[in-house]
Amino acid sequence: MSRFLNPAKIGLLALIELYTNKAVPTSSIVDVLSFITSYLIDNDGSLPSSNPEKRWEHAEKTVSIVISIADFEKVLAPHTAASGIPGRNLWYVFLDRLWKIDSLHALHEFIDHCSTLLEKPKDELRRDAEAGIEAPGPEVILLSRNSPFGSFVRRCQLEFTRLRFHDTGEVWKDFVRYRQTTAAYYRRKTPSFQRLSFDQVLLTSEPEWGSGVEAVASIAYGDMLRSDPNSTLPVSTDDIEKLLEFQIEQMQKYGNRIPLEIQHQFHDLLNDSFIVPSLSHYLSYLDAWRAGDYSTAFDYLHRYFDYMMQNRDRSFYQYALMNMAVLQADFGCYKEAIAAMLETVSTARENRDMTCLNFALNWLFHFGRAHPEVTKELESNSMLGTGKESLAYLRSRAKETGMWTLWSSALISEAKMGLSNGESVATAVENLVRSSQILVQRNMKSMVGSQLSINIALWDRLGIAYLSVTTCEVFIRCHARNSIFDDELKVISRQASMLTLKGKYDEALELLEGMDANSLRTWKPSQYWHKFRGIIKLRRDLHQNNLDGADLLLSQLLQSKNEDLEPDLNFVIDSLHIEFLVRRGRCDEAFVKVEKMITSLRNDNKDIGLRVRLLLLKAELLDKSGRPQKGFSIAVRAAHVAWRARLMPYLWPAMGAIANILTSLGEFEPAIQLLTAVLPRSLECENSAMTGKLYAHLGDANIGMAGKMPPKSNKRREFMTKALEAIEKAFNHYSSVEDINKQCEMMAKKATIMKVSGDNVLANDYAAAYLAIRRDAPRMTI
């Protein structure tokens, strides 16, 4: 097998020769040159496609042109030749040039003739001038020696001269087989074409050798002219290495697996290659890792780095350890991952590899935030101190060494940690702006996803759902094509979650179903995607009171909860489990679970938003148990923490819980004032269940005020009317999320109000509507 030259590259050389000889008409020049440059110049992905499938077109083209000459035909057949001969298109002219290379000697002459396509060096032009040789005129097309075409021509000549005679013969036989599929077409267009025209030696010797020419042909070419199924593909080492580098770059840049069709084609090429590059082991490791095959990934990782350290030096040892640590962490072996990454730090420090050292320290910081129970002992003995000091150190080191990705990542992490700890929102915004400035200045498009994810979380915490939705749309439309698939999955999941809060379950599921199928072949994103779909369906079943279906989904989600999910996703599963227990009437079990979760979050120092949410759940459970006053201090503490941390989506429910407690104490007027102030802002959160609950509390408070007024007075009628309006709005919000129990509760309250008001007809209508909701509820779950 040739290191560089193969039949496809000989075809490109012939096409370049036709261009310099002006055989390509002016109208076809752009198409022909675009075709050539698409293979000669590597696709750096600077203009990625919005369609993930098109990202792999470069690999498909490279494999296709190596396997078959049909790619040349697709481009050249529609164009006429510059000579203007009827029936002779550019495809025929191209084939005529290839078939004139009719022997190994002619192939040598063709490669040598390529020198005339290049501009001569200045010293050679000077010698020609002294010898009286005229320089070529301006109308002659010559290739600059340093241009992409000129470099390709010179590289082909150099690699051809380096080939041993046996390898040169193999290139010639591969070229004959590659060209043979066009023999029928060329025979129809060229009457002089004969059976042995593919080899001039056999053709001219046939009169002398007679029937012996068949024996010579079979010895020289074997069965390859008869479409031998066991024949190998004419692939060069250069093609294999470029395909390997491209596939690894795509997998690392976007986090996706290789499409199956390209994977099979590449394996065919690799099987026909006499030399298997060590990089193929790393590609197999990445694919096995993405597929969730731990043992295979472990094996290929060892193979790759064993080869690297045998054939180079030990400077790659820290990268082997780093890959090992990441692999162990992904498959849940946290202690082994920590040990490997600590060894990476010490080895990188010994080798003075600051890039690897800074990455390892950054990984340790993020791993510690995600798994504090594993790194608790490590942090107590650490010289870096707290998380803030670690980030400050990483930020300064990244700035010194010019590691812009790490610098931006440290600023994003600092903003995220500030929001998680309930610190100043202004400081978090400042860090995000500084990170954004670095991303824009250094054109780091792949980092935009991480930055916008924190922006989305920031708007969510401030209770401005519209800006959160807008940021999601901006990412999907403008930046998803440049980001890794994990970022795209998280943002789309966030969009689906916001649709779910509005009761648009079908739209949310449709949004998730519309994601790229090949990207979801990757193990971890696939697990996340399936679990998020399960969460949406579970929420819908709970609201529709389909508790048997919810029990089945919940059992599956709880079984896999201990896997390496996002902490927020774990919390959502736990909170839905609590809601399920409450709907089953098992409030004591729900209360025990809430207490365990509060203790766990306090010990792990997790996100303050999760702790506030648990306080609200605890206050809600006390209200469900008929003892709302016991939750007063809990609700006040939740409101205080939410206000201090600017957690607006949790502040409004906390104020609603306080208002409900005031209502239970008979303080109806302060409760009404509190709810009237809170409700307009709660509408900005676009959470129908939360808003419906606040309206229900407002209705209860108004009913309480009506009870204090004299019978049949205008004030009493006014408060009764306000209560009915509030409960009607609560019913509408609960209807949007299809919450059957709450709809029935609101309808029962409306019937009671009408009965107290003396309107028995409306009271009966509302009672009938209540029964209709109960009757139709089972049909909604089908």
Side-chain angles (χ1 to χ4, degrees), residues 4-20 24 31-41 61-62 65-66 68-69 71-73 75-76 91 94 97-98 101 110-111 114 117 143 148-150 152-153 156 175 178 238-239 242:
F4 179 80
L5 204 59
N6 63 3
K9 290 187 172 68
I10 295 174
L12 291 175
L13 280 175
L15 197 53
I16 291 173
E17 184 185 50
L18 292 180
Y19 164 68
T20 57
V24 180
D31 291 338
V32 172
L33 294 186
S34 298
F35 173 76
I36 299 172
T37 52
S38 66
Y39 293 100
L40 300 190
I41 301 176
K61 286 181 179 179
T62 304
I65 197 174
V66 167
S68 169
I69 200 173
D71 278 22
F72 288 97
E73 183 179 5
V75 174
L76 301 178
W91 169 238
F94 172 72
R97 184 67 190 94
L98 290 186
I101 306 174
F110 170 72
I111 297 294
C114 288
L117 308 179
L143 304 175
F149 285 13
F152 174 69
V153 170
C156 289
F175 175 70
Y178 186 77
D238 179 70
D239 295 325
K242 282 186 176 179

Side-chain angles (χ1 to χ4, degrees), residues 13-22 97 100-101 104-120 140-143 145 153-154 156-158 160-161:
L13 280 175
L15 197 53
I16 291 173
E17 184 185 50
L18 292 180
Y19 164 68
T20 57
N21 292 340
K22 299 184 179 180
R97 184 67 190 94
K100 284 181 178 177
I101 306 174
L104 183 57
H105 177 69
L107 178 61
H108 277 273
E109 288 183 337
F110 170 72
I111 297 294
D112 291 339
H113 177 72
C114 288
S115 299
T116 60
L117 308 179
L118 302 172
E119 287 182 343
K120 293 182 179 180
V140 178
I141 299 177
L142 294 175
L143 304 175
R145 303 183 73 84
V153 170
R154 291 192 295 120
C156 289
Q157 288 183 306
L158 177 63
F160 188 77
T161 56

Side-chain angles (χ1 to χ4, degrees), residues 420-437:
S420 176
N421 295 336
E423 296 171 4
S424 170
V425 173
T427 304
V429 172
E430 179 190 351
N431 287 323
L432 287 175
V433 170
R434 291 170 64 191
S435 169
S436 180
Q437 181 184 8

Side-chain angles (χ1 to χ4, degrees), residues 259-466:
L260 287 173
E261 184 179 353
I262 296 177
Q263 197 172 21
H264 294 154
Q265 291 177 347
F266 178 72
H267 283 164
D268 291 341
L269 292 180
L270 202 60
N271 291 335
D272 291 338
S273 171
F274 296 112
I275 301 173
V276 179
S278 62
L279 212 55
S280 64
H281 298 314
Y282 192 73
L283 179 66
S284 300
Y285 150 69
L286 286 177
D287 191 63
W289 174 28
R290 301 292 184 192
D293 188 348
Y294 173 73
S295 56
T296 305
F298 197 81
D299 179 41
Y300 277 114
L301 184 66
H302 271 286
R303 286 192 198 181
Y304 173 68
F305 281 105
D306 284 348
Y307 176 86
M308 295 295 287
M309 284 184 283
Q310 286 174 7
N311 292 275
R312 299 193 185 181
D313 53 38
R314 291 183 61 82
S315 63
F316 289 90
Y317 182 56
Q318 63 265 27
Y319 292 100
L321 291 169
M322 185 171 65
N323 277 273
M324 182 69 69
V326 174
L327 180 66
Q328 300 276 23
D330 257 12
F331 288 97
C333 306
Y334 299 134
K335 291 184 179 179
E336 292 84 351
I338 285 288
M341 194 57 80
L342 289 175
E343 191 174 351
T344 302
V345 171
S346 60
T347 308
R349 188 181 291 119
E350 288 175 10
N351 294 335
R352 298 187 179 183
D353 188 343
M354 297 309 300
T355 302
C356 182
L357 176 62
N358 289 340
F359 178 87
L361 293 174
N362 187 45
W363 185 91
L364 283 170
F365 168 77
H366 286 287
F367 185 82
R369 296 287 297 176
H371 307 283
E373 70 282 356
V374 181
T375 59
K376 190 176 296 182
E377 183 180 348
L378 176 66
E379 288 182 354
S380 62
N381 300 325
S382 174
M383 298 290 290
L384 288 175
T386 63
K388 283 187 177 180
E389 293 172 356
S390 301
L391 280 177
Y393 171 78
L394 286 172
R395 194 173 67 243
S396 62
R397 294 299 300 165
K399 189 175 181 180
E400 289 174 8
T401 55
M403 296 179 64
W404 312 116
T405 303
L406 180 59
W407 188 8
S408 175
S409 176
L411 288 169
I412 292 173
S413 300
E414 201 163 345
K416 185 177 181 180
M417 189 169 66
L419 291 174
S420 176
N421 295 336
E423 296 171 4
S424 170
V425 173
T427 304
V429 172
E430 179 190 351
N431 287 323
L432 287 175
V433 170
R434 291 170 64 191
S435 169
S436 180
Q437 181 184 8
I438 297 170
L439 296 183
V440 172
Q441 286 180 343
R442 303 293 169 181
N443 196 29
M444 295 189 296
K445 297 178 181 178
S446 60
M447 289 286 294
V448 175
S450 303
Q451 212 247 2
L452 287 184
S453 296
I454 304 299
N455 275 323
I456 293 167
L458 175 65
W459 295 127
D460 276 341
R461 285 171 175 260
L462 294 177
I464 310 174
Y466 175 76

Side-chain angles (χ1 to χ4, degrees), residues 86-329:
R88 298 292 186 264
N89 57 14
L90 198 54
W91 169 238
Y92 171 80
V93 175
F94 172 72
L95 286 184
D96 186 58
R97 184 67 190 94
L98 290 186
W99 281 99
K100 284 181 178 177
I101 306 174
D102 51 10
S103 65
L104 183 57
H105 177 69
L107 178 61
H108 277 273
E109 288 183 337
F110 170 72
I111 297 294
D112 291 339
H113 177 72
C114 288
S115 299
T116 60
L117 308 179
L118 302 172
E119 287 182 343
K120 293 182 179 180
K122 290 183 179 179
D123 53 349
E124 191 172 343
L125 289 173
R126 191 181 305 111
R127 286 196 298 269
D128 288 348
E130 292 173 356
I133 301 174
E134 293 185 3
E139 71 281 356
V140 178
I141 299 177
L142 294 175
L143 304 175
S144 171
R145 303 183 73 84
N146 295 323
S147 66
F149 285 13
S151 299
F152 174 69
V153 170
R154 291 192 295 120
R155 175 81 185 275
C156 289
Q157 288 183 306
L158 177 63
E159 294 294 341
F160 188 77
T161 56
R162 284 179 173 177
L163 291 176
R164 296 173 298 179
F165 179 77
H166 171 74
D167 293 332
T168 306
E170 290 296 324
V171 170
W172 164 246
K173 288 192 284 186
D174 287 340
F175 175 70
V176 170
R177 184 171 63 245
Y178 186 77
R179 182 186 59 184
Q180 191 64 24
T181 56
T182 64
Y185 172 84
Y186 190 68
R187 184 180 293 111
R188 290 198 307 269
K189 298 290 183 179
T190 311
S192 60
F193 186 82
Q194 299 181 34
R195 182 172 57 89
L196 296 176
S197 291
F198 68 91
D199 191 327
Q200 185 67 19
V201 176
L202 296 176
L203 184 64
T204 55
S205 302
E206 187 176 16
E208 180 184 349
W209 297 343
S211 60
V213 73
E214 295 288 346
V216 175
S218 63
I219 293 172
Y221 296 104
D223 295 329
M224 69 179 198
L225 298 177
R226 301 185 180 90
S227 301
D228 181 13
N230 298 320
S231 62
T232 59
L233 296 172
V235 61
S236 66
T237 308
D238 179 70
D239 295 325
I240 295 289
E241 289 176 350
K242 282 186 176 179
L243 281 170
L244 279 171
E245 290 169 1
F246 175 79
Q247 291 176 87
I248 289 172
E249 179 193 8
Q250 292 292 309
M251 292 183 73
Q252 291 180 332
K253 187 173 183 179
Y254 298 109
N256 297 339
R257 293 180 66 191
I258 306 166
L260 287 173
E261 184 179 353
I262 296 177
Q263 197 172 21
H264 294 154
Q265 291 177 347
F266 178 72
H267 283 164
D268 291 341
L269 292 180
L270 202 60
N271 291 335
D272 291 338
S273 171
F274 296 112
I275 301 173
V276 179
S278 62
L279 212 55
S280 64
H281 298 314
Y282 192 73
L283 179 66
S284 300
Y285 150 69
L286 286 177
D287 191 63
W289 174 28
R290 301 292 184 192
D293 188 348
Y294 173 73
S295 56
T296 305
F298 197 81
D299 179 41
Y300 277 114
L301 184 66
H302 271 286
R303 286 192 198 181
Y304 173 68
F305 281 105
D306 284 348
Y307 176 86
M308 295 295 287
M309 284 184 283
Q310 286 174 7
N311 292 275
R312 299 193 185 181
D313 53 38
R314 291 183 61 82
S315 63
F316 289 90
Y317 182 56
Q318 63 265 27
Y319 292 100
L321 291 169
M322 185 171 65
N323 277 273
M324 182 69 69
V326 174
L327 180 66
Q328 300 276 23

Side-chain angles (χ1 to χ4, degrees), residues 671-719:
I672 292 173
Q673 292 174 355
L674 199 58
L675 290 167
T676 304
V678 162
L679 270 166
R681 292 296 304 276
S682 73
L683 291 170
E684 295 179 355
C685 297
E686 298 184 7
N687 186 337
S688 296
M690 178 186 75
T691 307
K693 192 173 185 179
L694 291 176
Y695 272 119
H697 291 329
L698 182 61
D700 293 343
N702 277 298
I703 285 291
M705 281 298 295
K708 285 188 172 184
M709 297 297 114
K712 297 183 180 180
S713 62
N714 290 335
K715 278 288 184 181
R716 183 174 183 139
R717 192 176 300 110
E718 179 186 346
F719 281 113

